[in-house]
Amino acid sequence: MKTEDLIHRLAADLPEAGLRGARPGHGVGLDGAAVLALVLTLPLCLALHGLRAGGTAADVVGLLVWLAAGAGALWSAHRLARPEPAPMIALCGPLGLLLAVLGGLAVLGLREGVTVFRADHLAHCAEVIGLLAILPFLGLTRAMRRGAPASPRAAGATIGLIAGAIAALAYTLSCPIDDAVAALSAHAFSVLLVTGLGAVLGPSLFSW
């Protein structure tokens, strides 16, 4: 039997009163871990990569996108930290939003004649954002392990998405890519990679 199947069965057998009385995963420190990760990652990114000159209003769009993605994934992480089946929106909502952003950027690039998925952009941003996401990922993983995720893979993906969003938010202020659409596309692709890595590691990190 797979570990996730066993967890789902155990979670389903928990008495409803017990869940209300002691909510494992509630208040596991995910919010604090996310804020601390942002506070540490932002100055670290600026120290390593500097502040990009000539920032435009497009930078604000990037910051808002990653704030929204991180906040949505954090909400999902709270739901996934509990030993009970999470609603479908918590399982798929943030990832669906990220894929929608990628699709929208691709369409926008086609309309404006911009190559949004250049190999050099993707490789550069994936390397930088992947490295910047390590610290947030470790901190958020520690917080999530204090809960009892019913779906370890989904929990891992969500932690990866939050960590990637924090790293992308920080790197928005430093990224040397001039075109805002291309930059946001490369950042979204990088966050998707970190999310995928979190999904791969989830069963090992969060299994009971």
Side-chain angles (χ1 to χ4, degrees):
M1 179 185 297
K2 292 183 179 179
T3 302
E4 283 196 41
D5 294 337
L6 177 60
I7 290 174
H8 280 296
R9 291 189 181 186
L10 290 173
D13 290 339
L14 287 174
E16 192 66 28
L19 282 175
R20 285 196 297 266
R23 299 177 69 90
H26 183 69
V28 295
L30 286 166
D31 292 338
V35 171
L36 180 60
L38 180 59
V39 168
L40 294 176
T41 303
L42 185 56
L44 176 62
C45 178
L46 293 176
L48 292 174
H49 304 286
L51 183 63
R52 181 170 64 85
T56 64
D59 291 342
V60 177
V61 174
L63 294 175
L64 291 176
V65 165
W66 297 122
L67 277 173
L74 189 59
W75 176 83
S76 291
H78 277 289
R79 302 302 302 268
L80 291 167
R82 303 169 185 171
E84 56 190 38
M88 188 58 64
I89 189 172
L91 290 169
C92 304
L95 181 58
L97 176 62
L98 178 58
L99 292 174
V101 168
L102 274 169
L105 289 169
V107 171
L108 183 61
L110 289 173
R111 281 182 149 182
E112 297 186 357
V114 177
T115 304
V116 295
F117 296 117
R118 283 179 46 180
D120 55 340
H121 289 172
L122 296 179
H124 171 75
C125 291
E127 179 182 1
V128 174
I129 289 176
L131 291 173
L132 288 174
I134 292 175
L135 183 61
F137 188 86
L138 293 175
L140 289 160
T141 294
R142 183 180 180 185
M144 178 63 83
R145 284 173 64 87
R146 292 166 58 190
S151 177
R153 193 175 301 280
T158 304
I159 292 302
L161 179 52
I162 300 170
I166 290 172
L169 187 152
Y171 193 53
T172 296
L173 301 175
S174 303
C175 185
I177 301 174
D178 292 328
D179 184 87
V181 175
L184 189 54
S185 300
H187 294 179
F189 179 78
S190 303
V191 174
L192 184 62
L193 291 180
V194 178
T195 303
L197 179 60
V200 171
L201 296 176
S204 299
L205 294 172
F206 304 122
S207 293
W208 295 5

